[in-house]
Amino acid sequence: MLGKLTIDALPFYSGIAMGGALITVFGALGVVALITWLGQWRYLWTEWLTSLDHKKIGIMYVTWALIMLVRGFIDAMMMRTQQAVALDSHGYLPPDHFDQIFTSHATIMVFFVAMPFLVGLFNVIVPQQIGARDVAFPFMNSVSLWLTASGAALVMTSLVIGKFSTAGWNAYPPYSEAQFSPGVGVDYWIWAILVSGVGSMLTGINFIVTIVKRRAPGMRLMMMPLFTWTALCTSILIVFAFPALIVAAALLGLDRYLGMHFFTDGDGGDIRNYINLFWIWGHPEVYILILPAFGVYSEVVATFSGKRLFGYESLVYAAAAITVLSLSVWLHHFFTMGASHDVNAFFGSVAPLIAVPTGVTIFDWLFTMYRGRVQFSVPMLFTLGFIVTFVIGGMTGVLLAVAPDLMHNTTFLVAHFHNIMIPGALFGYFAGYQYWFPKAFGIRLEEKWGRRAFWAWIVGVYLAFVPLYILGFMGMPQRLQRYYVAGWQPYLIVAEFGALFILCGIAFLAIQLAVSIRDRAALAVSTGDPWNGRTLEWATASPPAAYNFAVIPHVHGIDAWWAMKQAGTAGHRPARFHDIIMPDDSSAGVVLGAMSFVFAFAMIWQIWWLAAVGGLGTFAVVLSQTFRHHAEHRIPASEVEAIESRRTIVPALAPGAPT
């Protein structure tokens, strides 16, 4: 009846695991109780969960990302603490639990923090930057959100029922095969990746079509804001790279469920096939996560330097070059796999080449700031922190790309990866969160706590990962649960203090949000353009109406909103309004995500009747959508005019604009 699911699936094996499970369960029950006590279920359902408004979908993505950031950081903190105390001892985490934690930490941070964060920023900003009223496929957008949420929910469920994978975030065979991981941990990983991976694929398709087909009249490709350019490049990478991961996870699942041998050496399979498929996705994924942050930095630098971006065209070409090169460097992850010298030489040469367009972007940002009126706002601080820290991480990456390098599988690699991803991705998302928060909610985030959060993060990153570089030179392997070299411990203790600083950074961000909500009257944005911005998202009120633009703007050059301010045409009300057609809300996305979760959970535990329910439910929802015609509503011109009259936009004047 319940397949492999028994009472033993509860985390009785560890008091720490049981504590985590109880916190998860009671935390979820507490949220449900709070919403019920406030009587907000109807509001939550009608205004948010079923909404097809791209801005609300983006806000929900970012909310998921921040929640999962806390969950993923708890794992990181537990690892750092274990290694700090595990000299000549077992520490406080048994090996199996430690293996679960480093697998779940990486899986959560890549798939359920970074991916939702960047997609959330895309949703909130990209349609407004290109002068569109919505994304190309609003319902697909909702499905993408709820498939991602379903994958995250599977990872969280593994805390309470069963165990998560101990095979590492890359799930290499043979350890991820049923012979060596007979439990459900790898199955949780497979289904979380499959469900969320499909959601990411849909997002990539949606934004390619949106950017190509929905731009405002006159906005040629070489007039698009840099953030939109990086969104386009990222979406192309998603569409090209994610199928490899989805196929790899699906074939691994067939090995486990049906006894096939795609990746079983000696039975007709080859482990190297999995490794190649994984890294054909894995290395472009680094740039999928970093390119959107590059777009954020470009917008922030231009706005807070009071200048047009230096070398706009070179930045576009650099983003395109990174997109192409990132698809051709995956082999440097395994020079010892048995490829020929010629193959290793080619990939060993191409891998450092990607540093060239990356360097171009950094120099362009520095030249933009040169002789500009630089304002050291919180988004700008994260940008400056990124530039310094990312350069260090990039140089260590060039070292790792050299074929004879001996640092692979040491903590040097761990330090490099985090030195790239935290400033290269997470700092960018934080900068975008701080920069566009007024656009989404109509209030600024409080500056004092934002600055404290930045300094805690930047100090924490250096303290946490510079010691790991040193330990890598000393030969310490990554992922050690315990060790016997006394000289390693002082560096691991310093790394633990770095993690504590990062914990303070997360806490300060939470305090900043709470203080901003408390002081929302004083922090309210009186215009749609609080930063004296340059791009079209600042041409609407903050927050904007559901339709974004009452009248679609005509674009005549780069930095369209800045040009309008210079011409003195910004904020002018049109002589006449027209009816606007917008998509109806739909509960199908939520239901489809729920059915996907049910199906995946049932497959993990081999509860076949429940899998049939989930599968048929998913099919029924998809089928019902094919008969849903004219799922749109008309907003009359009179209502549009009334909304716009309440949303007066008083733009700041650009230098040289007529008064």
Side-chain angles (χ1 to χ4, degrees), residues 283-317:
H283 204 88
E285 172 67 7
V286 173
Y287 297 97
I288 288 171
L289 303 183
I290 288 176
L291 276 172
F294 280 17
V296 173
Y297 296 135
S298 298
E299 305 297 340
V300 168
V301 166
T303 297
F304 292 107
S305 298
K307 291 174 59 181
R308 175 181 166 175
L309 271 170
F310 179 89
Y312 168 87
E313 292 81 3
S314 63
L315 283 165
V316 172
Y317 294 138

PDB file of all heavy atoms in Angstrom, residues 283-317:
ATOM      1  N   HIS A 283      29.220  23.100 -16.538  1.00  0.00           N
ATOM      2  CA  HIS A 283      30.048  24.294 -16.692  1.00  0.00           C
ATOM      3  C   HIS A 283      29.252  25.465 -17.262  1.00  0.00           C
ATOM      4  O   HIS A 283      29.392  26.593 -16.768  1.00  0.00           O
ATOM      5  CB  HIS A 283      31.296  24.027 -17.524  1.00  0.00           C
ATOM      6  CG  HIS A 283      32.378  25.009 -17.204  1.00  0.00           C
ATOM      7  ND1 HIS A 283      33.287  24.820 -16.193  1.00  0.00           N
ATOM      8  CD2 HIS A 283      32.653  26.223 -17.707  1.00  0.00           C
ATOM      9  CE1 HIS A 283      34.081  25.867 -16.098  1.00  0.00           C
ATOM     10  NE2 HIS A 283      33.716  26.736 -17.013  1.00  0.00           N
ATOM     11  N   PRO A 284      28.410  25.275 -18.282  1.00  0.00           N
ATOM     12  CA  PRO A 284      27.535  26.405 -18.665  1.00  0.00           C
ATOM     13  C   PRO A 284      26.667  26.902 -17.517  1.00  0.00           C
ATOM     14  O   PRO A 284      26.339  28.089 -17.460  1.00  0.00           O
ATOM     15  CB  PRO A 284      26.674  25.802 -19.787  1.00  0.00           C
ATOM     16  CG  PRO A 284      27.517  24.727 -20.368  1.00  0.00           C
ATOM     17  CD  PRO A 284      28.289  24.153 -19.216  1.00  0.00           C
ATOM     18  N   GLU A 285      26.306  26.011 -16.585  1.00  0.00           N
ATOM     19  CA  GLU A 285      25.476  26.434 -15.460  1.00  0.00           C
ATOM     20  C   GLU A 285      26.159  27.526 -14.638  1.00  0.00           C
ATOM     21  O   GLU A 285      25.503  28.429 -14.122  1.00  0.00           O
ATOM     22  CB  GLU A 285      25.159  25.233 -14.558  1.00  0.00           C
ATOM     23  CG  GLU A 285      24.465  25.566 -13.248  1.00  0.00           C
ATOM     24  CD  GLU A 285      23.053  26.108 -13.401  1.00  0.00           C
ATOM     25  OE1 GLU A 285      22.538  26.119 -14.535  1.00  0.00           O
ATOM     26  OE2 GLU A 285      22.458  26.512 -12.385  1.00  0.00           O
ATOM     27  N   VAL A 286      27.496  27.453 -14.537  1.00  0.00           N
ATOM     28  CA  VAL A 286      28.215  28.513 -13.826  1.00  0.00           C
ATOM     29  C   VAL A 286      27.906  29.863 -14.458  1.00  0.00           C
ATOM     30  O   VAL A 286      27.649  30.858 -13.766  1.00  0.00           O
ATOM     31  CB  VAL A 286      29.729  28.241 -13.843  1.00  0.00           C
ATOM     32  CG1 VAL A 286      30.504  29.425 -13.263  1.00  0.00           C
ATOM     33  CG2 VAL A 286      30.053  26.972 -13.064  1.00  0.00           C
ATOM     34  N   TYR A 287      27.884  29.911 -15.772  1.00  0.00           N
ATOM     35  CA  TYR A 287      27.637  31.178 -16.473  1.00  0.00           C
ATOM     36  C   TYR A 287      26.149  31.494 -16.568  1.00  0.00           C
ATOM     37  O   TYR A 287      25.772  32.660 -16.673  1.00  0.00           O
ATOM     38  CB  TYR A 287      28.318  31.136 -17.839  1.00  0.00           C
ATOM     39  CG  TYR A 287      29.806  31.025 -17.668  1.00  0.00           C
ATOM     40  CD1 TYR A 287      30.442  29.792 -17.738  1.00  0.00           C
ATOM     41  CD2 TYR A 287      30.570  32.140 -17.349  1.00  0.00           C
ATOM     42  CE1 TYR A 287      31.799  29.673 -17.514  1.00  0.00           C
ATOM     43  CE2 TYR A 287      31.926  32.041 -17.124  1.00  0.00           C
ATOM     44  CZ  TYR A 287      32.541  30.807 -17.200  1.00  0.00           C
ATOM     45  OH  TYR A 287      33.881  30.706 -16.968  1.00  0.00           O
ATOM     46  N   ILE A 288      25.304  30.468 -16.501  1.00  0.00           N
ATOM     47  CA  ILE A 288      23.863  30.714 -16.351  1.00  0.00           C
ATOM     48  C   ILE A 288      23.616  31.503 -15.071  1.00  0.00           C
ATOM     49  O   ILE A 288      22.780  32.415 -15.031  1.00  0.00           O
ATOM     50  CB  ILE A 288      23.086  29.379 -16.341  1.00  0.00           C
ATOM     51  CG1 ILE A 288      23.058  28.767 -17.743  1.00  0.00           C
ATOM     52  CG2 ILE A 288      21.660  29.573 -15.813  1.00  0.00           C
ATOM     53  CD1 ILE A 288      22.499  27.354 -17.790  1.00  0.00           C
ATOM     54  N   LEU A 289      24.362  31.184 -14.035  1.00  0.00           N
ATOM     55  CA  LEU A 289      24.187  31.867 -12.749  1.00  0.00           C
ATOM     56  C   LEU A 289      24.894  33.221 -12.713  1.00  0.00           C
ATOM     57  O   LEU A 289      24.419  34.149 -12.050  1.00  0.00           O
ATOM     58  CB  LEU A 289      24.708  30.987 -11.613  1.00  0.00           C
ATOM     59  CG  LEU A 289      24.082  29.594 -11.483  1.00  0.00           C
ATOM     60  CD1 LEU A 289      24.654  28.866 -10.275  1.00  0.00           C
ATOM     61  CD2 LEU A 289      22.567  29.675 -11.380  1.00  0.00           C
ATOM     62  N   ILE A 290      26.020  33.346 -13.425  1.00  0.00           N
ATOM     63  CA  ILE A 290      26.819  34.565 -13.326  1.00  0.00           C
ATOM     64  C   ILE A 290      26.369  35.646 -14.303  1.00  0.00           C
ATOM     65  O   ILE A 290      26.369  36.841 -13.958  1.00  0.00           O
ATOM     66  CB  ILE A 290      28.310  34.216 -13.529  1.00  0.00           C
ATOM     67  CG1 ILE A 290      28.855  33.479 -12.294  1.00  0.00           C
ATOM     68  CG2 ILE A 290      29.146  35.464 -13.791  1.00  0.00           C
ATOM     69  CD1 ILE A 290      30.276  33.006 -12.445  1.00  0.00           C
ATOM     70  N   LEU A 291      25.974  35.270 -15.516  1.00  0.00           N
ATOM     71  CA  LEU A 291      25.618  36.285 -16.511  1.00  0.00           C
ATOM     72  C   LEU A 291      24.519  37.244 -16.044  1.00  0.00           C
ATOM     73  O   LEU A 291      24.625  38.462 -16.256  1.00  0.00           O
ATOM     74  CB  LEU A 291      25.223  35.609 -17.826  1.00  0.00           C
ATOM     75  CG  LEU A 291      26.381  35.225 -18.757  1.00  0.00           C
ATOM     76  CD1 LEU A 291      25.873  34.386 -19.921  1.00  0.00           C
ATOM     77  CD2 LEU A 291      27.101  36.461 -19.272  1.00  0.00           C
ATOM     78  N   PRO A 292      23.429  36.756 -15.408  1.00  0.00           N
ATOM     79  CA  PRO A 292      22.430  37.717 -14.918  1.00  0.00           C
ATOM     80  C   PRO A 292      23.004  38.704 -13.911  1.00  0.00           C
ATOM     81  O   PRO A 292      22.615  39.878 -13.893  1.00  0.00           O
ATOM     82  CB  PRO A 292      21.363  36.824 -14.275  1.00  0.00           C
ATOM     83  CG  PRO A 292      21.529  35.509 -14.928  1.00  0.00           C
ATOM     84  CD  PRO A 292      22.992  35.373 -15.198  1.00  0.00           C
ATOM     85  N   ALA A 293      23.936  38.233 -13.064  1.00  0.00           N
ATOM     86  CA  ALA A 293      24.579  39.144 -12.118  1.00  0.00           C
ATOM     87  C   ALA A 293      25.391  40.196 -12.858  1.00  0.00           C
ATOM     88  O   ALA A 293      25.399  41.373 -12.475  1.00  0.00           O
ATOM     89  CB  ALA A 293      25.471  38.357 -11.156  1.00  0.00           C
ATOM     90  N   PHE A 294      26.056  39.803 -13.955  1.00  0.00           N
ATOM     91  CA  PHE A 294      26.774  40.779 -14.775  1.00  0.00           C
ATOM     92  C   PHE A 294      25.804  41.842 -15.300  1.00  0.00           C
ATOM     93  O   PHE A 294      26.150  43.023 -15.377  1.00  0.00           O
ATOM     94  CB  PHE A 294      27.459  40.081 -15.948  1.00  0.00           C
ATOM     95  CG  PHE A 294      28.757  39.405 -15.596  1.00  0.00           C
ATOM     96  CD1 PHE A 294      29.088  39.123 -14.274  1.00  0.00           C
ATOM     97  CD2 PHE A 294      29.654  39.036 -16.584  1.00  0.00           C
ATOM     98  CE1 PHE A 294      30.275  38.499 -13.946  1.00  0.00           C
ATOM     99  CE2 PHE A 294      30.852  38.416 -16.275  1.00  0.00           C
ATOM    100  CZ  PHE A 294      31.162  38.137 -14.954  1.00  0.00           C
ATOM    101  N   GLY A 295      24.612  41.408 -15.684  1.00  0.00           N
ATOM    102  CA  GLY A 295      23.608  42.376 -16.138  1.00  0.00           C
ATOM    103  C   GLY A 295      23.199  43.333 -15.036  1.00  0.00           C
ATOM    104  O   GLY A 295      23.050  44.540 -15.271  1.00  0.00           O
ATOM    105  N   VAL A 296      23.019  42.808 -13.827  1.00  0.00           N
ATOM    106  CA  VAL A 296      22.671  43.668 -12.687  1.00  0.00           C
ATOM    107  C   VAL A 296      23.782  44.681 -12.437  1.00  0.00           C
ATOM    108  O   VAL A 296      23.533  45.885 -12.263  1.00  0.00           O
ATOM    109  CB  VAL A 296      22.426  42.822 -11.419  1.00  0.00           C
ATOM    110  CG1 VAL A 296      22.242  43.729 -10.204  1.00  0.00           C
ATOM    111  CG2 VAL A 296      21.210  41.928 -11.589  1.00  0.00           C
ATOM    112  N   TYR A 297      25.037  44.199 -12.406  1.00  0.00           N
ATOM    113  CA  TYR A 297      26.151  45.113 -12.160  1.00  0.00           C
ATOM    114  C   TYR A 297      26.205  46.216 -13.215  1.00  0.00           C
ATOM    115  O   TYR A 297      26.524  47.375 -12.901  1.00  0.00           O
ATOM    116  CB  TYR A 297      27.475  44.343 -12.151  1.00  0.00           C
ATOM    117  CG  TYR A 297      27.598  43.336 -11.032  1.00  0.00           C
ATOM    118  CD1 TYR A 297      28.092  42.055 -11.275  1.00  0.00           C
ATOM    119  CD2 TYR A 297      27.232  43.650  -9.730  1.00  0.00           C
ATOM    120  CE1 TYR A 297      28.214  41.122 -10.258  1.00  0.00           C
ATOM    121  CE2 TYR A 297      27.348  42.715  -8.707  1.00  0.00           C
ATOM    122  CZ  TYR A 297      27.834  41.455  -8.980  1.00  0.00           C
ATOM    123  OH  TYR A 297      27.950  40.542  -7.962  1.00  0.00           O
ATOM    124  N   SER A 298      25.915  45.874 -14.459  1.00  0.00           N
ATOM    125  CA  SER A 298      25.930  46.883 -15.523  1.00  0.00           C
ATOM    126  C   SER A 298      24.898  47.969 -15.265  1.00  0.00           C
ATOM    127  O   SER A 298      25.188  49.168 -15.419  1.00  0.00           O
ATOM    128  CB  SER A 298      25.664  46.209 -16.878  1.00  0.00           C
ATOM    129  OG  SER A 298      26.669  45.265 -17.195  1.00  0.00           O
ATOM    130  N   GLU A 299      23.685  47.574 -14.868  1.00  0.00           N
ATOM    131  CA  GLU A 299      22.640  48.560 -14.588  1.00  0.00           C
ATOM    132  C   GLU A 299      23.004  49.413 -13.371  1.00  0.00           C
ATOM    133  O   GLU A 299      22.815  50.641 -13.360  1.00  0.00           O
ATOM    134  CB  GLU A 299      21.300  47.857 -14.349  1.00  0.00           C
ATOM    135  CG  GLU A 299      20.843  46.925 -15.457  1.00  0.00           C
ATOM    136  CD  GLU A 299      20.586  47.641 -16.760  1.00  0.00           C
ATOM    137  OE1 GLU A 299      20.393  48.879 -16.755  1.00  0.00           O
ATOM    138  OE2 GLU A 299      20.574  46.973 -17.812  1.00  0.00           O
ATOM    139  N   VAL A 300      23.529  48.773 -12.335  1.00  0.00           N
ATOM    140  CA  VAL A 300      23.869  49.483 -11.095  1.00  0.00           C
ATOM    141  C   VAL A 300      25.007  50.470 -11.330  1.00  0.00           C
ATOM    142  O   VAL A 300      24.949  51.633 -10.888  1.00  0.00           O
ATOM    143  CB  VAL A 300      24.233  48.467  -9.990  1.00  0.00           C
ATOM    144  CG1 VAL A 300      24.878  49.163  -8.798  1.00  0.00           C
ATOM    145  CG2 VAL A 300      22.982  47.707  -9.538  1.00  0.00           C
ATOM    146  N   VAL A 301      26.056  50.039 -12.032  1.00  0.00           N
ATOM    147  CA  VAL A 301      27.207  50.911 -12.265  1.00  0.00           C
ATOM    148  C   VAL A 301      26.797  52.140 -13.061  1.00  0.00           C
ATOM    149  O   VAL A 301      27.185  53.277 -12.744  1.00  0.00           O
ATOM    150  CB  VAL A 301      28.327  50.131 -12.981  1.00  0.00           C
ATOM    151  CG1 VAL A 301      29.373  51.087 -13.540  1.00  0.00           C
ATOM    152  CG2 VAL A 301      28.984  49.154 -12.022  1.00  0.00           C
ATOM    153  N   ALA A 302      26.000  51.949 -14.121  1.00  0.00           N
ATOM    154  CA  ALA A 302      25.581  53.088 -14.937  1.00  0.00           C
ATOM    155  C   ALA A 302      24.724  54.054 -14.130  1.00  0.00           C
ATOM    156  O   ALA A 302      24.913  55.281 -14.185  1.00  0.00           O
ATOM    157  CB  ALA A 302      24.822  52.593 -16.167  1.00  0.00           C
ATOM    158  N   THR A 303      23.773  53.525 -13.366  1.00  0.00           N
ATOM    159  CA  THR A 303      22.854  54.382 -12.613  1.00  0.00           C
ATOM    160  C   THR A 303      23.590  55.161 -11.526  1.00  0.00           C
ATOM    161  O   THR A 303      23.420  56.382 -11.397  1.00  0.00           O
ATOM    162  CB  THR A 303      21.734  53.533 -11.984  1.00  0.00           C
ATOM    163  OG1 THR A 303      20.972  52.923 -13.028  1.00  0.00           O
ATOM    164  CG2 THR A 303      20.818  54.398 -11.127  1.00  0.00           C
ATOM    165  N   PHE A 304      24.427  54.473 -10.752  1.00  0.00           N
ATOM    166  CA  PHE A 304      25.054  55.125  -9.606  1.00  0.00           C
ATOM    167  C   PHE A 304      26.380  55.802  -9.952  1.00  0.00           C
ATOM    168  O   PHE A 304      27.037  56.354  -9.071  1.00  0.00           O
ATOM    169  CB  PHE A 304      25.219  54.129  -8.466  1.00  0.00           C
ATOM    170  CG  PHE A 304      23.910  53.696  -7.881  1.00  0.00           C
ATOM    171  CD1 PHE A 304      23.406  52.426  -8.123  1.00  0.00           C
ATOM    172  CD2 PHE A 304      23.148  54.574  -7.132  1.00  0.00           C
ATOM    173  CE1 PHE A 304      22.181  52.030  -7.606  1.00  0.00           C
ATOM    174  CE2 PHE A 304      21.918  54.191  -6.607  1.00  0.00           C
ATOM    175  CZ  PHE A 304      21.438  52.918  -6.849  1.00  0.00           C
ATOM    176  N   SER A 305      26.765  55.762 -11.233  1.00  0.00           N
ATOM    177  CA  SER A 305      27.875  56.598 -11.712  1.00  0.00           C
ATOM    178  C   SER A 305      27.344  57.797 -12.483  1.00  0.00           C
ATOM    179  O   SER A 305      28.127  58.684 -12.849  1.00  0.00           O
ATOM    180  CB  SER A 305      28.819  55.781 -12.607  1.00  0.00           C
ATOM    181  OG  SER A 305      29.403  54.718 -11.894  1.00  0.00           O
ATOM    182  N   GLY A 306      26.047  57.821 -12.768  1.00  0.00           N
ATOM    183  CA  GLY A 306      25.452  58.925 -13.501  1.00  0.00           C
ATOM    184  C   GLY A 306      25.964  59.031 -14.923  1.00  0.00           C
ATOM    185  O   GLY A 306      26.015  60.119 -15.498  1.00  0.00           O
ATOM    186  N   LYS A 307      26.338  57.875 -15.517  1.00  0.00           N
ATOM    187  CA  LYS A 307      26.906  57.873 -16.863  1.00  0.00           C
ATOM    188  C   LYS A 307      26.348  56.715 -17.672  1.00  0.00           C
ATOM    189  O   LYS A 307      25.942  55.690 -17.107  1.00  0.00           O
ATOM    190  CB  LYS A 307      28.439  57.710 -16.799  1.00  0.00           C
ATOM    191  CG  LYS A 307      29.207  58.883 -16.239  1.00  0.00           C
ATOM    192  CD  LYS A 307      30.681  58.530 -16.094  1.00  0.00           C
ATOM    193  CE  LYS A 307      31.305  58.124 -17.424  1.00  0.00           C
ATOM    194  NZ  LYS A 307      32.746  57.759 -17.248  1.00  0.00           N
ATOM    195  N   ARG A 308      26.339  56.892 -18.980  1.00  0.00           N
ATOM    196  CA  ARG A 308      26.054  55.762 -19.855  1.00  0.00           C
ATOM    197  C   ARG A 308      27.178  54.742 -19.723  1.00  0.00           C
ATOM    198  O   ARG A 308      28.342  55.100 -19.504  1.00  0.00           O
ATOM    199  CB  ARG A 308      25.951  56.249 -21.302  1.00  0.00           C
ATOM    200  CG  ARG A 308      25.780  55.119 -22.323  1.00  0.00           C
ATOM    201  CD  ARG A 308      25.707  55.648 -23.734  1.00  0.00           C
ATOM    202  NE  ARG A 308      25.868  54.577 -24.698  1.00  0.00           N
ATOM    203  CZ  ARG A 308      25.763  54.721 -26.010  1.00  0.00           C
ATOM    204  NH1 ARG A 308      25.508  55.922 -26.522  1.00  0.00           N
ATOM    205  NH2 ARG A 308      25.912  53.701 -26.817  1.00  0.00           N
ATOM    206  N   LEU A 309      26.839  53.466 -19.852  1.00  0.00           N
ATOM    207  CA  LEU A 309      27.839  52.420 -19.756  1.00  0.00           C
ATOM    208  C   LEU A 309      28.956  52.641 -20.765  1.00  0.00           C
ATOM    209  O   LEU A 309      28.697  52.870 -21.957  1.00  0.00           O
ATOM    210  CB  LEU A 309      27.203  51.049 -20.005  1.00  0.00           C
ATOM    211  CG  LEU A 309      26.629  50.310 -18.802  1.00  0.00           C
ATOM    212  CD1 LEU A 309      25.834  49.108 -19.263  1.00  0.00           C
ATOM    213  CD2 LEU A 309      27.726  49.887 -17.845  1.00  0.00           C
ATOM    214  N   PHE A 310      30.189  52.560 -20.291  1.00  0.00           N
ATOM    215  CA  PHE A 310      31.331  52.620 -21.187  1.00  0.00           C
ATOM    216  C   PHE A 310      31.395  51.314 -21.978  1.00  0.00           C
ATOM    217  O   PHE A 310      31.291  50.226 -21.414  1.00  0.00           O
ATOM    218  CB  PHE A 310      32.619  52.812 -20.389  1.00  0.00           C
ATOM    219  CG  PHE A 310      33.856  52.866 -21.226  1.00  0.00           C
ATOM    220  CD1 PHE A 310      34.316  54.070 -21.725  1.00  0.00           C
ATOM    221  CD2 PHE A 310      34.559  51.705 -21.524  1.00  0.00           C
ATOM    222  CE1 PHE A 310      35.459  54.130 -22.499  1.00  0.00           C
ATOM    223  CE2 PHE A 310      35.701  51.751 -22.293  1.00  0.00           C
ATOM    224  CZ  PHE A 310      36.153  52.965 -22.788  1.00  0.00           C
ATOM    225  N   GLY A 311      31.557  51.407 -23.288  1.00  0.00           N
ATOM    226  CA  GLY A 311      31.739  50.213 -24.114  1.00  0.00           C
ATOM    227  C   GLY A 311      30.522  49.319 -24.156  1.00  0.00           C
ATOM    228  O   GLY A 311      30.650  48.094 -24.029  1.00  0.00           O
ATOM    229  N   TYR A 312      29.339  49.908 -24.351  1.00  0.00           N
ATOM    230  CA  TYR A 312      28.109  49.104 -24.386  1.00  0.00           C
ATOM    231  C   TYR A 312      28.242  47.934 -25.368  1.00  0.00           C
ATOM    232  O   TYR A 312      27.914  46.783 -25.040  1.00  0.00           O
ATOM    233  CB  TYR A 312      26.928  50.001 -24.768  1.00  0.00           C
ATOM    234  CG  TYR A 312      25.665  49.242 -25.106  1.00  0.00           C
ATOM    235  CD1 TYR A 312      24.761  48.874 -24.113  1.00  0.00           C
ATOM    236  CD2 TYR A 312      25.367  48.888 -26.426  1.00  0.00           C
ATOM    237  CE1 TYR A 312      23.607  48.171 -24.428  1.00  0.00           C
ATOM    238  CE2 TYR A 312      24.217  48.192 -26.739  1.00  0.00           C
ATOM    239  CZ  TYR A 312      23.340  47.832 -25.748  1.00  0.00           C
ATOM    240  OH  TYR A 312      22.197  47.137 -26.063  1.00  0.00           O
ATOM    241  N   GLU A 313      28.707  48.218 -26.584  1.00  0.00           N
ATOM    242  CA  GLU A 313      28.800  47.170 -27.597  1.00  0.00           C
ATOM    243  C   GLU A 313      29.756  46.065 -27.158  1.00  0.00           C
ATOM    244  O   GLU A 313      29.473  44.875 -27.342  1.00  0.00           O
ATOM    245  CB  GLU A 313      29.256  47.755 -28.939  1.00  0.00           C
ATOM    246  CG  GLU A 313      28.254  48.674 -29.610  1.00  0.00           C
ATOM    247  CD  GLU A 313      28.288  50.093 -29.047  1.00  0.00           C
ATOM    248  OE1 GLU A 313      29.157  50.363 -28.163  1.00  0.00           O
ATOM    249  OE2 GLU A 313      27.466  50.919 -29.467  1.00  0.00           O
ATOM    250  N   SER A 314      30.888  46.450 -26.561  1.00  0.00           N
ATOM    251  CA  SER A 314      31.847  45.431 -26.122  1.00  0.00           C
ATOM    252  C   SER A 314      31.264  44.574 -25.000  1.00  0.00           C
ATOM    253  O   SER A 314      31.557  43.373 -24.911  1.00  0.00           O
ATOM    254  CB  SER A 314      33.159  46.072 -25.679  1.00  0.00           C
ATOM    255  OG  SER A 314      32.963  46.907 -24.551  1.00  0.00           O
ATOM    256  N   LEU A 315      30.421  45.160 -24.152  1.00  0.00           N
ATOM    257  CA  LEU A 315      29.760  44.376 -23.106  1.00  0.00           C
ATOM    258  C   LEU A 315      28.798  43.356 -23.713  1.00  0.00           C
ATOM    259  O   LEU A 315      28.711  42.211 -23.250  1.00  0.00           O
ATOM    260  CB  LEU A 315      29.013  45.303 -22.147  1.00  0.00           C
ATOM    261  CG  LEU A 315      29.878  46.043 -21.121  1.00  0.00           C
ATOM    262  CD1 LEU A 315      29.097  47.180 -20.479  1.00  0.00           C
ATOM    263  CD2 LEU A 315      30.379  45.079 -20.056  1.00  0.00           C
ATOM    264  N   VAL A 316      28.072  43.769 -24.741  1.00  0.00           N
ATOM    265  CA  VAL A 316      27.166  42.841 -25.416  1.00  0.00           C
ATOM    266  C   VAL A 316      27.954  41.700 -26.053  1.00  0.00           C
ATOM    267  O   VAL A 316      27.614  40.511 -25.895  1.00  0.00           O
ATOM    268  CB  VAL A 316      26.324  43.577 -26.479  1.00  0.00           C
ATOM    269  CG1 VAL A 316      25.530  42.578 -27.317  1.00  0.00           C
ATOM    270  CG2 VAL A 316      25.389  44.581 -25.822  1.00  0.00           C
ATOM    271  N   TYR A 317      29.024  42.040 -26.775  1.00  0.00           N
ATOM    272  CA  TYR A 317      29.822  41.004 -27.431  1.00  0.00           C
ATOM    273  C   TYR A 317      30.506  40.110 -26.397  1.00  0.00           C
ATOM    274  O   TYR A 317      30.672  38.899 -26.633  1.00  0.00           O
ATOM    275  CB  TYR A 317      30.862  41.652 -28.347  1.00  0.00           C
ATOM    276  CG  TYR A 317      30.258  42.395 -29.519  1.00  0.00           C
ATOM    277  CD1 TYR A 317      30.749  43.637 -29.910  1.00  0.00           C
ATOM    278  CD2 TYR A 317      29.178  41.869 -30.227  1.00  0.00           C
ATOM    279  CE1 TYR A 317      30.192  44.329 -30.978  1.00  0.00           C
ATOM    280  CE2 TYR A 317      28.609  42.551 -31.295  1.00  0.00           C
ATOM    281  CZ  TYR A 317      29.118  43.784 -31.662  1.00  0.00           C
ATOM    282  OH  TYR A 317      28.557  44.455 -32.721  1.00  0.00           O
TER     283      TYR A 317
END
